[in-house]
Amino acid sequence: AKALRIAVVGLPNVGKSTIINSLLGRKNSAVSPRPHTTRRQIETVVTEGDSQLVFVDTPGFVDYKLARKAKMTKSLVVDTRDAAFHADLVMAVIDDQLARKYFITDVGTPYLFLREFVKDPGLRNTLLKKKTILVLNKVDKLNASLVKKMLQRYQEGLDSGFEKQYKQHIAVDRDGDVTLKDGRFDRLFKVCAFEKQSLAPLKEYLFECAVPREWDYSLETTSSLSFQSIVEEIVREQMFLRYKLEIPYVCQHSVRFIDVIGDHVDIGWRILVDSKPHKAIVIGSKGKRLTALAHAVEREIERRFNMSASFLIHVGARGKD
């Protein structure tokens, strides 16, 4: 048996969860256009043959000050650190917007990437000790000539003394992928998370990196989440898609009941918000927004688990009910 633990790290909203979900072939992590959709450490398990990959999907890099300001849990900071400490390999993810901003070479080594994005020195030092790869996501949104120029700058070392400073050798393999040696990212992958074919080289590479070791999970397991936790991820994802401002961030979720009868599940859910105005926003005029949310959650549960669902939501305000 062989296994590999991969800590997937990067700024919020660069597509970390989408990449993992695509590699798995189903959703484990909440995904939306809003930052900090992932609020906890989630382990996604992909098993093929005698090898098992465990992707640790972490909240986007954030410091304690930002976490307090956005009313986020301490896990947004701590989970990333823990995931990196126990990982065999670190997968650093940037997207098209960061690629344009930094033109890749400004974050072209693990050190430069971490110096730019990670303010926690303890986490930085932990990550620097790990084998690290760089994944450029949303490459479909970049002009092909720009991508070619980026890779050419790697190859030729033409980026404002980058090569002079680090004096590293850069090789391009037969498929055009860049291999970064000696203190650099071990590999760079260009992917579009929604295109399975573009993820194939990344997936193949990760399975090749697996080391002889017992699996952490059984063959049938695809997630570290319980059914209740998966339902919470579904609810949160749908709220991020439907509610603006801070509403999805300040909601506290809890289960009232889960009753499974054959191929049907009845779920009672409670959403606790900060104030009556927030409660009114969640419910909507004549309860329409809350009804739409419940129906969306039901459809997603039915799609994922192949069972019908009834989702009943109660909304309360802290200190009120």
Side-chain angles (χ1 to χ4, degrees), residues 54-79:
V54 177
F55 294 91
V56 186
D57 187 11
T58 64
F61 286 139
V62 59
D63 58 27
Y64 286 110
K65 185 182 296 185
L66 178 58
R68 288 195 300 270
K69 182 178 180 180
K71 297 183 179 179
M72 299 170 185
T73 64
K74 188 178 179 181
S75 70
L76 282 169
V77 182
V78 176
D79 283 353

Short mmCIF file of all heavy atoms in Angstrom, two decimals, residues 54-79:
data_model
loop_
_atom_site.label_atom_id
_atom_site.label_comp_id
_atom_site.label_asym_id
_atom_site.label_seq_id
_atom_site.Cartn_x
_atom_site.Cartn_y
_atom_site.Cartn_z
N VAL A 54 -4.64 11.75 0.08
CA VAL A 54 -5.49 12.47 1.02
C VAL A 54 -5.21 13.96 0.85
O VAL A 54 -4.13 14.44 1.18
CB VAL A 54 -5.24 12.04 2.48
CG1 VAL A 54 -6.10 12.87 3.42
CG2 VAL A 54 -5.50 10.56 2.66
N PHE A 55 -6.18 14.67 0.28
CA PHE A 55 -6.05 16.11 0.08
C PHE A 55 -6.63 16.82 1.30
O PHE A 55 -7.80 16.60 1.65
CB PHE A 55 -6.82 16.55 -1.17
CG PHE A 55 -6.26 16.01 -2.45
CD1 PHE A 55 -6.71 14.81 -2.98
CD2 PHE A 55 -5.28 16.71 -3.15
CE1 PHE A 55 -6.21 14.32 -4.16
CE2 PHE A 55 -4.76 16.22 -4.33
CZ PHE A 55 -5.23 15.01 -4.84
N VAL A 56 -5.83 17.65 1.92
CA VAL A 56 -6.30 18.41 3.07
C VAL A 56 -6.63 19.81 2.57
O VAL A 56 -5.74 20.62 2.32
CB VAL A 56 -5.25 18.45 4.19
CG1 VAL A 56 -5.83 19.13 5.42
CG2 VAL A 56 -4.78 17.04 4.53
N ASP A 57 -7.92 20.06 2.39
CA ASP A 57 -8.39 21.35 1.90
C ASP A 57 -8.49 22.30 3.08
O ASP A 57 -9.22 22.06 4.03
CB ASP A 57 -9.76 21.17 1.24
CG ASP A 57 -10.24 22.43 0.55
OD1 ASP A 57 -9.43 23.36 0.40
OD2 ASP A 57 -11.41 22.47 0.14
N THR A 58 -7.71 23.36 3.04
CA THR A 58 -7.62 24.27 4.18
C THR A 58 -8.25 25.62 3.86
O THR A 58 -8.34 26.02 2.70
CB THR A 58 -6.14 24.51 4.57
OG1 THR A 58 -5.49 25.18 3.49
CG2 THR A 58 -5.44 23.20 4.86
N PRO A 59 -8.67 26.34 4.89
CA PRO A 59 -9.12 27.73 4.67
C PRO A 59 -8.00 28.55 4.04
O PRO A 59 -6.82 28.29 4.26
CB PRO A 59 -9.43 28.22 6.09
CG PRO A 59 -9.68 26.98 6.88
CD PRO A 59 -8.77 25.94 6.30
N GLY A 60 -8.38 29.55 3.26
CA GLY A 60 -7.37 30.40 2.63
C GLY A 60 -6.49 31.07 3.67
O GLY A 60 -6.90 31.33 4.79
N PHE A 61 -5.25 31.36 3.29
CA PHE A 61 -4.33 32.01 4.22
C PHE A 61 -4.94 33.27 4.80
O PHE A 61 -5.43 34.14 4.09
CB PHE A 61 -3.04 32.41 3.49
CG PHE A 61 -2.13 31.26 3.17
CD1 PHE A 61 -1.49 31.20 1.95
CD2 PHE A 61 -1.92 30.26 4.10
CE1 PHE A 61 -0.64 30.15 1.65
CE2 PHE A 61 -1.06 29.21 3.81
CZ PHE A 61 -0.42 29.16 2.58
N VAL A 62 -4.90 33.40 6.12
CA VAL A 62 -5.49 34.55 6.79
C VAL A 62 -4.84 34.67 8.16
O VAL A 62 -4.46 33.67 8.76
CB VAL A 62 -7.03 34.40 6.93
CG1 VAL A 62 -7.39 33.17 7.71
CG2 VAL A 62 -7.66 35.61 7.58
N ASP A 63 -4.67 35.90 8.63
CA ASP A 63 -4.08 36.06 9.97
C ASP A 63 -5.18 36.29 11.00
O ASP A 63 -6.35 36.47 10.67
CB ASP A 63 -3.05 37.20 9.98
CG ASP A 63 -3.64 38.53 9.55
OD1 ASP A 63 -4.86 38.72 9.72
OD2 ASP A 63 -2.88 39.37 9.04
N TYR A 64 -4.79 36.30 12.27
CA TYR A 64 -5.77 36.41 13.35
C TYR A 64 -6.54 37.73 13.28
O TYR A 64 -7.72 37.79 13.57
CB TYR A 64 -5.06 36.29 14.71
CG TYR A 64 -4.62 34.90 15.05
CD1 TYR A 64 -3.28 34.56 15.06
CD2 TYR A 64 -5.56 33.91 15.34
CE1 TYR A 64 -2.87 33.27 15.37
CE2 TYR A 64 -5.16 32.62 15.66
CZ TYR A 64 -3.81 32.30 15.67
OH TYR A 64 -3.42 31.03 15.96
N LYS A 65 -5.85 38.81 12.90
CA LYS A 65 -6.51 40.11 12.84
C LYS A 65 -7.66 40.08 11.84
O LYS A 65 -8.76 40.56 12.11
CB LYS A 65 -5.48 41.19 12.46
CG LYS A 65 -6.05 42.60 12.48
CD LYS A 65 -5.00 43.62 12.05
CE LYS A 65 -3.85 43.66 13.01
NZ LYS A 65 -2.87 44.73 12.66
N LEU A 66 -7.40 39.52 10.65
CA LEU A 66 -8.46 39.44 9.64
C LEU A 66 -9.56 38.49 10.09
O LEU A 66 -10.75 38.74 9.86
CB LEU A 66 -7.87 38.97 8.30
CG LEU A 66 -8.87 38.78 7.15
CD1 LEU A 66 -9.61 40.08 6.87
CD2 LEU A 66 -8.15 38.30 5.91
N ALA A 67 -9.19 37.41 10.74
CA ALA A 67 -10.19 36.45 11.20
C ALA A 67 -11.15 37.10 12.19
O ALA A 67 -12.36 36.90 12.13
CB ALA A 67 -9.50 35.25 11.85
N ARG A 68 -10.60 37.90 13.11
CA ARG A 68 -11.46 38.59 14.08
C ARG A 68 -12.34 39.63 13.40
O ARG A 68 -13.53 39.76 13.69
CB ARG A 68 -10.60 39.26 15.15
CG ARG A 68 -9.95 38.30 16.14
CD ARG A 68 -9.44 39.04 17.36
NE ARG A 68 -8.45 40.04 17.00
CZ ARG A 68 -7.14 39.81 16.94
NH1 ARG A 68 -6.68 38.60 17.21
NH2 ARG A 68 -6.29 40.77 16.62
N LYS A 69 -11.76 40.35 12.45
CA LYS A 69 -12.51 41.39 11.76
C LYS A 69 -13.69 40.81 10.99
O LYS A 69 -14.78 41.39 10.95
CB LYS A 69 -11.58 42.14 10.79
CG LYS A 69 -12.26 43.29 10.06
CD LYS A 69 -11.25 44.00 9.16
CE LYS A 69 -11.91 45.14 8.41
NZ LYS A 69 -10.96 45.85 7.52
N ALA A 70 -13.49 39.66 10.37
CA ALA A 70 -14.54 39.04 9.56
C ALA A 70 -15.40 38.08 10.38
O ALA A 70 -16.23 37.37 9.82
CB ALA A 70 -13.91 38.31 8.39
N LYS A 71 -15.17 38.04 11.71
CA LYS A 71 -15.93 37.16 12.59
C LYS A 71 -15.78 35.69 12.18
O LYS A 71 -16.73 34.93 12.15
CB LYS A 71 -17.41 37.55 12.61
CG LYS A 71 -17.67 38.94 13.15
CD LYS A 71 -19.15 39.25 13.22
CE LYS A 71 -19.39 40.64 13.78
NZ LYS A 71 -20.82 40.97 13.84
N MET A 72 -14.55 35.30 11.85
CA MET A 72 -14.27 33.94 11.43
C MET A 72 -13.70 33.16 12.60
O MET A 72 -13.15 33.73 13.54
CB MET A 72 -13.27 33.93 10.27
CG MET A 72 -13.79 34.65 9.04
SD MET A 72 -12.49 34.88 7.82
CE MET A 72 -13.37 35.85 6.60
N THR A 73 -13.81 31.85 12.52
CA THR A 73 -13.32 31.01 13.60
C THR A 73 -11.81 30.90 13.57
O THR A 73 -11.17 31.12 12.54
CB THR A 73 -13.91 29.59 13.49
OG1 THR A 73 -13.44 28.99 12.29
CG2 THR A 73 -15.42 29.64 13.47
N LYS A 74 -11.24 30.54 14.70
CA LYS A 74 -9.79 30.38 14.81
C LYS A 74 -9.28 29.29 13.86
O LYS A 74 -8.12 29.30 13.45
CB LYS A 74 -9.42 30.04 16.25
CG LYS A 74 -7.93 30.04 16.53
CD LYS A 74 -7.66 29.76 18.00
CE LYS A 74 -6.17 29.73 18.30
NZ LYS A 74 -5.91 29.42 19.72
N SER A 75 -10.17 28.36 13.45
CA SER A 75 -9.75 27.27 12.57
C SER A 75 -9.24 27.77 11.24
O SER A 75 -8.45 27.12 10.57
CB SER A 75 -10.91 26.29 12.32
OG SER A 75 -11.90 26.89 11.51
N LEU A 76 -9.68 28.97 10.82
CA LEU A 76 -9.19 29.51 9.55
C LEU A 76 -7.69 29.70 9.59
O LEU A 76 -7.03 29.68 8.56
CB LEU A 76 -9.88 30.85 9.26
CG LEU A 76 -11.30 30.77 8.72
CD1 LEU A 76 -11.94 32.14 8.74
CD2 LEU A 76 -11.31 30.19 7.32
N VAL A 77 -7.13 29.92 10.77
CA VAL A 77 -5.69 30.09 10.91
C VAL A 77 -5.02 28.79 11.30
O VAL A 77 -4.02 28.37 10.71
CB VAL A 77 -5.38 31.18 11.96
CG1 VAL A 77 -3.88 31.41 12.08
CG2 VAL A 77 -6.10 32.48 11.61
N VAL A 78 -5.57 28.11 12.29
CA VAL A 78 -4.93 26.95 12.88
C VAL A 78 -4.94 25.75 11.93
O VAL A 78 -3.95 25.02 11.83
CB VAL A 78 -5.60 26.58 14.22
CG1 VAL A 78 -5.00 25.31 14.79
CG2 VAL A 78 -5.45 27.72 15.20
N ASP A 79 -6.05 25.51 11.22
CA ASP A 79 -6.16 24.33 10.37
C ASP A 79 -5.09 24.31 9.28
O ASP A 79 -4.54 23.26 8.96
CB ASP A 79 -7.54 24.26 9.70
CG ASP A 79 -8.61 23.77 10.68
OD1 ASP A 79 -8.24 23.36 11.79
OD2 ASP A 79 -9.79 23.79 10.31
#
